[in-house]
Amino acid sequence: MVIILRVEAALGLLRKVWQSGVNDAYPGGFVSDIYGVDSEVGRLRTVLVHRPGAELRRVTPQQRCGMLLPALPWAERARAEHDAFTDALRATGVAVLYLTELLQDALEYAPARAQAVDTVTSDPRLGAELRAQLGGYLAGLSPEELGQVLIMGLARDEFPGGRGPVFGLLSAWDYIVDPLPNLVFARDTCVWIGDSVAVTSPSGRRREAELAGIVFAHHPLFAGTKRLYEPGHELLAGGDVLLLAPGVVAIGIGAQTSPAGMERLAVEVFDAGFAHTVLAVLTDQAGGECLDTLCTLVGADTVLMRPSVAYSLVARTIMQRGDGLRLSHPRPFLEAAADAMGLDRLQLIETGLGPGRSGPVRPGSLGGPVGQWDDGGNLLVLGPGTVVSYERNTLTNARLEATGIDVIRVPGGELAGCRGGPRAICCPVGRDAAAMPEPMVA
């Protein structure tokens, strides 16, 4: 009964939001009246987010748990910043879905529980005896308790009845189940393309992707949703996928996404009819950044890019020919993207500052150089002419407003440490079908 009420409430909320929009219905195609995304710039209707919680407080200098943020986070401030972000979304009519609540709903079902337990107990560090003990313990938890363990983790001293050699060799605050401090970056693990979802395979973050996969596979809200990608496939990060226009998908290839991951997703979107062109964009392997931190679409024919890469970024066009894929020669990204989108050219807005300036390691940090905040990209488009940006991006925000773009500012201190912006902390589930500009005639 609890899950039925939750699902009905969620569906009712979504319908109410959509019915109150400017358009009474989606114009069709691969964008339905429930969910679907065909661009970065159609009016945003629904997002999936994770509100940061206690998992951030369980990270220590000795137990980083793969955390992306460069310094120990102030968990309460991170949560307050996230709340300000989601409040801003709701104020513009966007429905906000929370991963934790959907996960707990899904865990009411036995197949979802079995999949969730398997994602944890398959960790090769456990050993046979501890794996069996942990599996039995997790199976006896309520959906809320199990969801909490999956996200917050489980330390040795929190596990009652543990025994055996592996358990005995753990120190008191070693984790049997690691917490997931990067779960707040929801875009990395899932991306909607058309009416299907790609549950991605980011490096070292399979458990996060598996949680998103459980929600999309077992929550009634997403019943029948088709999948384009799965955790465990070749390396692919959601932040490397940009929907430049209906039928045009750009995929960054670098530290976070492999050529093989790009190829698999390209084949899937071609076969599903979602794309006529895929751009393979060659990002900097050493920098480790995703494509969406280098380039953000802020309008149907306008991109925001860091000056240091705007004219050096290179792309190769991929098109389907017969039973295979054809790869073009390298071209400047802006030129290749405009051509694929049917435009004479893309308008470019440069971010506020140039290349970052590295400094000394900050005392008390978890390591890594301290760089000046130099780009202010990775913005979230709410609809034509409106974006959400961190308030700290003062120069970039001013440049956007000078071009007539409305900038909604939200606080971003604790959540912005790894260059992730508002785009990185949400996964759009529903947007209006994009209204693209007419191609320019020579």
Side-chain angles (χ1 to χ4, degrees), residues 124-317:
R125 301 175 304 166
L126 295 175
E129 187 172 3
L130 184 54
R131 179 175 296 110
Q133 296 167 23
L134 179 61
Y137 171 73
L138 296 176
L141 298 179
S142 69
E144 290 76 13
E145 292 168 337
L146 179 56
Q148 185 178 51
V149 170
L150 292 172
I151 294 172
M152 290 179 53
L154 184 70
R156 178 190 186 277
D157 276 11
E158 296 170 335
F159 183 42
R163 60 187 183 281
V166 174
F167 182 82
L169 289 170
L170 296 174
S171 63
W173 281 98
D174 279 340
Y175 286 110
I176 297 172
V177 179
D178 284 341
L180 301 177
N182 299 323
L183 199 59
V184 66
F185 299 111
R187 179 78 64 140
D188 289 342
T189 55
C190 53
V191 55
W192 283 75
I193 305 174
D195 62 358
S196 299
V197 64
V199 181
T200 61
S201 185
S203 178
R205 298 171 64 187
R206 179 166 179 171
R207 275 188 49 221
E208 294 175 52
E210 292 279 7
L211 295 188
I214 289 170
V215 167
F216 293 130
H218 300 287
H219 198 288
L221 188 62
F222 302 108
T225 297
K226 292 168 285 189
R227 300 274 278 268
L228 297 171
Y229 214 86
E230 299 290 342
H233 284 167
E234 296 85 358
L235 196 65
L236 176 73
D240 273 320
V241 181
L242 297 182
L243 306 184
L244 295 180
V248 183
V249 180
I251 305 174
I253 299 175
Q256 306 299 322
T257 296
S258 69
M262 178 280 302
E263 180 187 61
R264 182 188 289 269
L265 183 59
V267 169
E268 291 292 335
V269 297
F270 281 135
D271 288 348
F274 294 151
H276 56 74
T277 305
V278 170
L279 297 181
V281 187
L282 308 178
T283 62
D284 182 10
Q285 287 270 1
E289 295 172 273
C290 286
L291 178 59
D292 66 356
T293 63
L294 307 177
C295 174
T296 303
L297 209 68
V298 295
D301 61 354
T302 306
V303 292
L304 175 70
M305 295 187 70
R306 193 182 309 169
S308 58
V309 299
Y311 299 102
S312 61
L313 200 61
V314 172
R316 302 185 70 172
T317 301

Side-chain angles (χ1 to χ4, degrees), residues 76-91:
E76 290 76 15
R77 177 61 61 84
R79 182 182 296 170
E81 291 174 0
H82 196 273
D83 289 345
F85 168 67
T86 53
D87 286 346
L89 295 185
R90 291 191 193 91

